[in-house]
Amino acid sequence: MTAGLRAGLIGLGSMGRHHARVLAGLEGVQLVGVVDPMGDKNGWAQGAPVLSTVDELISLGIDYAVVACPTALHEEVGLRLAEAGVCALVEKPVADTVEGARRLVEAFESRGLVAGVGHIERCNPALRSMRSRLEAGELGEVFQIVTRRQGPFPHRIADVGVVKDLATHDVDLTGWVTGQTYTSISAHTVSKSGRPHEDMVSAVGRLSDGTMVNHLVNWLSPFKERFTSVTGERGTFIADTLTADLTFHSNAAVATEWEALQAFRGVSEGDMIRYAIPKREPLLVEHELFRDAVRGDSKDICTLREGLRTVEVAAAVLESARSGRTVMTSVGELATHGT
């Protein structure tokens, strides 16, 4: 498969419509069909035929499909695609349970099929630049990562809480930019919106290299924020993924002689740099990378196994909040310990 890939889309909701737009204009790809039992009342299918079932889509002869249906259906749909020998890009989280995610990993890996998870923050220009700089050692030893992801309640989400819907972004990007895995997590959640799922979480974790991690995620804020900071021995990177801006606050050997400021800023103050970086649409980049992976030209995607690890950490967050204990997050094994 070197050109003219035939792609399908499953789900025409708030994310599916954007996938349809990108697929319809993606070089080397033809959008041959869209599945949504509700039809296409908003005209989002970009002229592609709208089907009622996944089997109808498979019968059209597709090379890969984008799974953008509700999270609770990811496992069922993904397993059907794997059984039919169809590659898949599954929206995050890969599944709503750890067990479901494991079954998907096994189904695709055992058949040698390319499959990925749509953790789109990996394609954000600010985070891609940050990751490259961290890999180059520009920050030196990393001490702490802090993320804040908050905004108004999204009425489109009904099947999962804020941990699986939003916090999985931060869990994945943290592991991705550092190349580390979570070893422990301690969390608290609240539910204030009258729904059965949590709508706010605060979590503290530790990565395999000892880096401290803090996540604050909620659906209860009237303003939208997407903040990631990485602090290390040479300063701090700050990424705003809403604007795709990356800044660097350096530690420098310039003494602060004004005594009143020393108490707040310490004894040295460095430069602040705002990097000029190319800003391409993250969803387009995600689709290009997955298309290239299906062709065999690239492996720069979030694999199902990486998506499984994120679901495992999300489950540990919820278990910690439920039990009031710190949860150890070794891959494939969760254990609780008294705090």
Side-chain angles (χ1 to χ4, degrees):
M1 294 181 290
T2 58
L5 294 174
R6 293 171 62 82
L9 170 64
I10 301 162
L12 266 179
S14 58
M15 274 305 297
R17 64 189 177 108
H18 294 297
H19 283 295
R21 170 180 56 80
V22 173
L23 281 168
L26 188 60
E27 182 180 355
V29 173
Q30 179 187 3
L31 178 60
V32 299
V34 176
V35 176
D36 197 308
M38 302 298 291
D40 184 24
K41 59 183 178 180
N42 296 302
W44 290 337
Q46 304 292 319
V50 181
L51 313 169
S52 298
T53 68
V54 175
D55 284 340
E56 290 178 78
L57 179 63
I58 293 172
S59 70
L60 295 179
I62 56 174
D63 298 304
Y64 74 92
V66 177
V67 180
C69 54
T71 304
L73 299 176
H74 285 185
E75 181 185 356
E76 175 187 345
V77 170
L79 291 177
R80 181 67 191 95
L81 292 171
E83 180 184 343
V86 176
C87 300
L89 173 61
V90 184
E91 260 300 338
K92 63 84 205 163
V94 62
D96 60 347
T97 66
V98 171
E99 295 74 19
R102 288 175 183 157
R103 285 189 285 268
L104 285 172
V105 169
E106 169 62 22
F108 283 92
E109 286 188 352
S110 65
R111 293 172 171 87
L113 296 169
V114 176
V117 187
H119 279 292
I120 196 169
E121 292 287 42
R122 293 190 180 204
C123 300
N124 188 284
L127 291 177
R128 292 183 75 82
S129 179
M130 176 193 284
R131 182 176 187 246
S132 296
R133 294 174 185 279
L134 289 173
E135 288 179 338
E138 293 185 18
L139 198 59
E141 181 185 355
V142 174
F143 302 148
Q144 183 184 48
I145 298 176
V146 176
T147 71
R148 297 195 302 270
R149 185 175 299 268
Q150 48 192 342
F153 176 73
H155 294 284
R156 63 182 176 83
I157 301 297
D159 56 341
V160 294
V162 74
V163 170
K164 291 181 180 178
D165 183 66
L166 281 189
T168 47
H169 277 304
D170 295 313
V171 170
D172 179 74
L173 75 85
T174 296
W176 180 68
V177 300
T178 62
Q180 305 298 317
T181 58
Y182 285 74
T183 59
S184 67
I185 200 83
S186 180
H188 296 280
T189 61
V190 297
S191 180
K192 297 293 186 181
S193 61
R195 298 168 65 253
H197 303 292
E198 78 289 344
D199 40 39
M200 175 179 281
V201 61
S202 178
V204 178
R206 187 174 296 275
L207 302 182
S208 49
D209 65 350
T211 299
M212 178 186 294
V213 176
N214 301 79
H215 300 307
L216 176 63
V217 189
N218 76 65
W219 280 329
L220 301 177
S221 171
F223 69 95
K224 194 171 184 179
E225 182 182 35
R226 301 289 185 266
F227 170 95
T228 301
S229 72
V230 181
T231 298
E233 61 180 323
R234 295 175 186 161
T236 299
F237 285 124
I238 296 178
D240 182 337
T241 53
L242 287 177
T243 61
D245 287 328
L246 178 65
T247 56
F248 176 56
H249 298 255
S250 69
N251 294 332
V254 178
T256 300
E257 298 180 1
W258 186 2
E259 183 177 355
L261 291 182
Q262 289 181 359
F264 296 98
R265 299 185 181 179
V267 296
S268 66
E269 184 175 3
D271 296 326
M272 183 185 76
I273 301 170
R274 177 178 173 273
Y275 297 107
I277 53 180
K279 296 183 179 181
R280 303 183 66 224
E281 181 186 2
L283 189 62
L284 174 58
V285 174
E286 179 181 272
H287 274 274
E288 289 175 344
L289 292 173
F290 190 76
R291 173 203 62 195
D292 293 346
V294 174
R295 288 174 168 172
D297 298 335
S298 171
K299 295 182 179 180
D300 189 12
I301 62 173
C302 176
T303 66
L304 289 193
R305 189 164 291 277
E306 291 171 323
L308 162 62
R309 291 171 184 165
T310 295
V311 173
E312 288 179 326
V313 175
V317 168
L318 292 172
E319 172 60 22
S320 174
R322 184 197 65 78
S323 66
R325 297 173 180 268
T326 297
V327 177
M328 309 307 292
T329 58
S330 298
V331 175
E333 179 181 356
L334 302 180
T336 59
H337 294 265
T339 55

